[in-house]
Amino acid sequence: MTARRRRSTRARLHALIDNLELPADWTIEEFIAAVEHKRGRPIVRLLLPPTAPVGLCGLWLACENHDMILLRQCSDPAVEHHVVLHEVSHMLLGHGRDPAIPAVHWGGAPGRGIDLSAVRAARGVSGYASREEYEAELLATLVGLRARVDGPRRDPMLKEL
């Protein structure tokens, strides 16, 4: 990818974040809530079932009335947040079904509310070779860099210091 095209992509992704009408000092959770509001549908987060393919660390399922993000349990919350942001980025970018994800039935996942027959599109984080994966990864990174984290910077009195 050329340097000019990367700048163009980066500018487009920054504009996408700016168009969400987030508060001046927003968190990742507020970003996800803004995406839910923009899309008019909730985003449900669950753990991937143990029978999910090895190497798959996140999966977005576009269901009829909601979006579902399934992620592999990780001991690092920052990694889990990034995987969620990556999948939300696919939603914002209008990416459709990932042809690399086979229509596999993972033995249900009872009690998780996953009706695979209602899934209209699926995207998974397992590699970054395609343009769509590159864009989603870059948007997730930009969101992570621009978002505030919990702590003193969130306190209105301390922001002035």
Side-chain angles (χ1 to χ4, degrees):
M1 183 178 289
T2 66
R4 182 176 186 195
R5 188 169 195 168
R6 274 194 304 271
R7 276 193 304 274
S8 173
T9 299
R10 189 175 293 258
R12 183 173 53 87
L13 298 180
H14 277 294
L16 190 75
I17 297 168
D18 293 340
N19 287 334
L20 285 174
E21 300 177 12
L22 292 159
D25 188 24
W26 51 271
T27 65
I28 289 173
E29 293 302 325
E30 289 167 327
F31 171 82
I32 293 169
V35 173
E36 287 177 316
H37 179 74
K38 179 180 177 94
R39 291 174 54 82
R41 46 195 283 132
I43 298 172
V44 177
R45 291 179 260 178
L46 299 170
L47 294 177
L48 275 166
T51 54
V54 174
L56 185 67
C57 51
L59 179 68
W60 162 42
L61 301 177
C63 301
E64 191 172 333
N65 298 316
H66 66 283
D67 291 298
M68 185 176 297
I69 296 175
L70 300 167
L71 45 133
R72 192 160 307 280
Q73 187 167 13
C74 177
S75 60
D76 186 348
V79 171
E80 286 185 8
H81 250 108
H82 187 79
V83 172
V84 170
L85 289 176
H86 180 97
E87 298 305 335
V88 170
S89 294
H90 280 302
M91 295 174 203
L92 278 175
L93 292 163
H95 294 163
R97 187 181 187 289
D98 183 349
I101 297 184
V104 173
H105 187 278
W106 291 327
R112 296 208 177 210
I114 303 172
D115 178 7
L116 295 178
S117 66
V119 173
R120 297 181 302 177
R123 298 247 17 137
V125 178
S126 57
Y128 302 103
S130 76
R131 178 165 176 75
E132 288 185 346
E133 290 302 320
Y134 168 79
E135 287 180 341
E137 186 64 13
L138 181 55
L139 182 56
T141 300
L142 293 173
V143 169
L145 290 172
R146 288 179 61 179
R148 296 285 191 170
V149 294
D150 292 331
R153 293 187 300 166
R154 298 287 299 155
D155 187 315
M157 290 180 60
L158 296 176
K159 280 195 276 187
E160 301 298 323
L161 299 176

